[in-house]
Amino acid sequence: MTDLTPDLLRRDTLLLVPDVTLTPDGPLDLHAVVVRDGVFRDVGPVERIVRTYPSLTPVRLAGQVLMPGFVDAHHHLTQSLGGALAFGEPSEIFRRVWVPLERALDEESAYVAAKLAALESLRGGFTTVAESGTRAELDVDVIASATRDAGIRCVLGLVCNDASDGTGEDADPRAVLTAAETHLARYGSDDLVHPSLAVSVPEAATAPTLAATARLAAGAGTVVQIHVNEHLVAVERSLVRHGLRPLEYLHHAGALGPQLLAAHATLLTPAEISLLADSGAAVSYNPVASAWKGNAVAPASTFAERGIRFGLGTDGTRGDGFRLADAAESAQRLTYGLASGDSSCGAGWTWLERATSGGADAVGLGRLTGRVAVGCAADFLLIDVSGPEMQPSWDLPWELVRRGNRDQLTAVFVGGRMRLWQGWPPDWDGPALVRRAAELGPRVVRRAGVTRAHPTSVEAWRGAAATAGQTTPTATPAPTSAGSAAPPAASAPAPAPAPVSALTVSPAPAPVPGPLPSTSAGSASAASAGGPA
């Protein structure tokens, strides 16, 4: 690929000739696409396309596959500064980790967190993310600006809670619905930011507000994002409070319908699966979140069989579309397939489709993106398949799901514009953003006073070594409080074991040393990261 340069891909109108084009009809050889004004203007056999557009110079993409961008159907963009704080924690960590962290964000740190998450998503091949609603106490336009500046498409949720879920107070439902209407109108004509509504969990909104948000979203042609049937404790709490499971309660409240995007939906009875199928609601299947947080695994193979709409979501775990698709298939195989002798579990095409067009449909953008088709937004990836991972090729969809890697991404396009070239944005300083996030992250976490049930893995490892009467090996560096790596002193005794089962606070709440840089002052660090001035 020595003859392909980013300059060749910056033209206002592009005629691209990859080795393979992944279309709704499958992988097609000898096909080309024409991109103009941010959309696919034509898709077809190379000979016809070149003949039809004699004024365009074809850009030959030898060794490349052109495919739709991945769609992340469930994200939390403003949680990115927390990183591994959620690893190995029991359920409902939003109460102890994410809500405190998000409420500790100011304008700059929220912008940096959202843009950092957007950059990671682009690096993993995502061209669209569904932001499911931040608890940061600021104008969500900060998040809109961050995603817009990063160049990723965003379905931006506004939290419409009016009942306490244990992390806040009751709110005036009239004010909540007025804010919802304003939010839907505010981004109604935005090129990259698409408004949606959100309710954290069903119990966080009264039944009238759940029904009203459903009506507003349906009228605006968008979705209401709600975490549904994710944790056993939430299901039991709903049964105690309402005599109904969470999904059943949404149905009872009049909030179950095509406008619903149910995140997780891991704990479903057969009757609830039928409710989903009959209502036309969509699900974000989040397999990596199930693995990392110990949730059950949603019955996605059954969703596919029953015609239930669903996409794949990261839940903010890691922004890698290839690993997400692989996890989606693997989780189904391990949880359901092995027990029934199903060696296919939907095959590669099922998971590739749900990671792209199925996800676009689930987040309410099915007519706009997720496909390489005439009239759709030119949100696409160029993938180098000339390496050993993908050769020789026998079944491209399976190979992309099982062997694809974000390191193979040559370029990422959103709205016909190149947003990423070989892992980094070509028109803004990605490394500067990463450096700024590394500066702000520890301050935000200290200020938040995050509560963890378990020690970090390094603390647990040291504790286990001390319990066994061993010393901590000095060859393995341990992270310092500043986030850098430094090996422990050889002569230092191992610290006392951390009580794994005890409730601990890590890191302990502490005042931030000095004020955070003011975004209104336009600090040099924020400017270098592309932050708000």
Side-chain angles (χ1 to χ4, degrees), residues 42-67:
D42 207 346
V43 180
V46 172
E47 183 177 348
R48 179 184 70 76
I49 295 289
V50 171
R51 184 175 64 249
T52 304
Y53 302 90
S55 63
L56 299 180
T57 300
V59 179
R60 304 285 177 175
L61 302 171
Q64 301 281 329
V65 168
L66 189 153
M67 66 168 282

Side-chain angles (χ1 to χ4, degrees), residues 65-280:
V65 168
L66 189 153
M67 66 168 282
F70 293 118
V71 175
D72 186 344
H74 184 64
H75 206 319
H76 294 274
L77 296 170
T78 55
Q79 295 178 0
S80 65
L81 299 183
L85 288 175
F87 294 172
E89 287 291 287
S91 67
E92 293 202 326
I93 57 172
F94 74 93
R95 299 177 183 275
R96 297 175 289 102
V97 177
W98 297 130
V99 172
L101 184 144
E102 288 182 313
R103 287 181 177 164
L105 295 170
D106 62 6
E107 184 174 323
E108 184 195 7
S109 54
Y111 177 93
V112 169
K115 195 171 184 181
L116 181 73
L119 174 58
E120 183 189 359
S121 294
L122 286 169
R123 284 166 57 87
F126 291 103
T127 54
T128 298
V129 294
E131 159 56 40
S132 56
T134 183
R135 301 291 190 97
E137 297 173 337
L138 44 75
D139 189 338
V140 296
D141 196 55
V142 172
I143 303 172
S145 296
T147 57
R148 195 185 294 116
D149 292 348
I152 199 166
R153 195 175 300 283
C154 178
V155 178
L156 180 60
L158 177 74
V159 173
C160 297
N161 299 352
D162 70 338
S164 174
D165 63 351
T167 63
E169 299 179 353
D170 292 353
D172 180 356
R174 293 170 297 180
V176 168
L177 295 177
T178 297
E181 292 175 332
T182 301
H183 179 72
L184 294 176
R186 185 180 195 179
Y187 302 103
S189 59
D190 197 290
D191 289 338
L192 290 181
V193 181
H194 308 273
S196 78
L197 305 180
V199 174
S200 302
V201 289
E203 67 198 71
T206 60
T209 296
L210 287 170
T213 55
R215 289 193 299 270
L216 286 173
T222 187
V223 296
V224 182
Q225 305 181 55
I226 307 179
H227 296 76
V228 177
N229 291 52
E230 179 182 5
H231 304 295
L232 180 60
V233 64
V235 173
E236 293 174 337
R237 190 164 50 242
S238 180
L239 285 167
V240 170
R241 180 175 300 184
H242 303 296
L244 298 167
R245 297 166 66 87
L247 191 68
E248 293 172 336
Y249 177 64
L250 291 178
H251 176 62
H252 172 76
L256 187 60
Q259 81 292 330
L260 175 65
L261 174 55
H264 299 288
T266 60
L267 299 167
L268 298 175
T269 64
E272 288 175 298
I273 292 175
S274 292
L275 280 177
L276 284 174
D278 294 343
S279 69

Side-chain angles (χ1 to χ4, degrees), residues 443-463:
R443 302 181 187 182
V444 171
V445 171
R446 285 199 300 271
R447 182 166 60 198
V450 166
T451 303
R452 286 174 50 91
H454 294 147
T456 66
S457 61
V458 173
E459 291 168 341
W461 166 61
R462 287 175 170 173

Side-chain angles (χ1 to χ4, degrees), residues 111-112 115-116 119 149-150 419-420 423-437 524-531:
Y111 177 93
V112 169
K115 195 171 184 181
L116 181 73
L119 174 58
D149 292 348
R419 310 291 182 164
L420 210 73
W424 291 101
D427 50 3
W428 58 275
D429 195 341
L433 173 75
V434 175
R435 290 192 297 271
R436 187 59 179 152
S525 295
S528 66

